[in-house]
Amino acid sequence: MLTDILPKDHLQHVDRVKNWVEAIWIASNPLLKKGVIEKVYVDNMIKNVYTHGPYIVLNDYFALPHADPGKGVNKLGMALLTIDHPIDLLGKPVKIFLVLAAIDSTSHLQALSEISNLLMVPENYDVFLSGSIDDIYSILKKGGKV
């Protein structure tokens, strides 16, 4: 189940952040605290954006920070940060940061597919943009609309 990888205590909401680097650090914090990832993984996610550009921005206001599987990842996990005021990520505005920590090249695919299917429903996407942790978690638990 998606909530096993993205539990409620991995969901965060803030009014604003200074920049996209800070957003990735804040988004990653629940994974760091639980030992799911190590600091080097966060450093690698940020380095990848500097190296490859804003490739992690997959949709309007949505970014999927990630780095090479297994390097600094101790366990499969995800964490979500929503922001009221969009932050510029190298020319792209972002309000949702979904950190993906993969241990290999395949074990995360089911979870990624599930969350992608949820976010393709416009009403669900609007809830994620709203930043309501309770409503977002309800969608994750039910696998569909609130």
Side-chain angles (χ1 to χ4, degrees):
M1 180 171 239
L2 189 55
T3 53
D4 294 335
I5 297 166
L6 186 55
K8 191 169 186 178
D9 64 345
H10 287 198
L11 309 179
Q12 302 175 84
H13 177 78
V14 296
D15 180 53
R16 62 181 74 233
V17 295
K18 291 178 197 160
N19 54 47
W20 64 268
V21 172
E22 181 183 56
I24 290 175
W25 276 105
I26 293 169
S28 301
N29 200 38
L31 299 174
L32 287 164
K33 281 184 178 178
K34 288 187 175 178
V36 173
I37 60 173
E38 298 168 17
K39 181 184 175 295
V40 67
Y41 189 73
V42 182
D43 291 335
N44 287 339
M45 288 190 288
I46 293 165
K47 187 172 110 184
N48 282 350
V49 173
Y50 280 122
T51 302
H52 304 293
Y55 75 100
I56 64 171
V57 181
L58 304 180
N59 198 357
D60 290 342
Y61 300 110
F62 180 82
L64 183 71
H66 60 283
D68 290 339
K71 296 179 182 173
V73 178
N74 301 315
K75 180 180 167 187
L76 175 62
M78 290 180 165
L80 179 81
L81 173 68
T82 59
I83 306 166
D84 284 334
H85 296 88
I87 194 73
D88 179 73
L89 198 158
L90 304 180
K92 308 231 181 215
V94 177
K95 291 179 69 173
I96 303 167
F97 287 81
L98 177 65
V99 172
L100 172 64
I103 53 173
D104 56 36
S105 59
T106 59
S107 62
H108 64 286
L109 296 178
Q110 178 63 36
L112 202 53
S113 173
E114 286 178 39
I115 199 149
S116 295
N117 287 336
L118 291 178
L119 292 171
M120 287 194 318
V121 176
E123 296 84 0
N124 290 347
Y125 195 72
D126 288 344
V127 170
F128 275 71
L129 284 172
S130 80
S132 169
I133 298 301
D134 290 336
D135 291 345
I136 292 169
Y137 189 68
S138 179
I139 289 172
L140 295 173
K141 265 182 19 187
K142 292 178 184 174
K145 287 197 254 183
V146 176

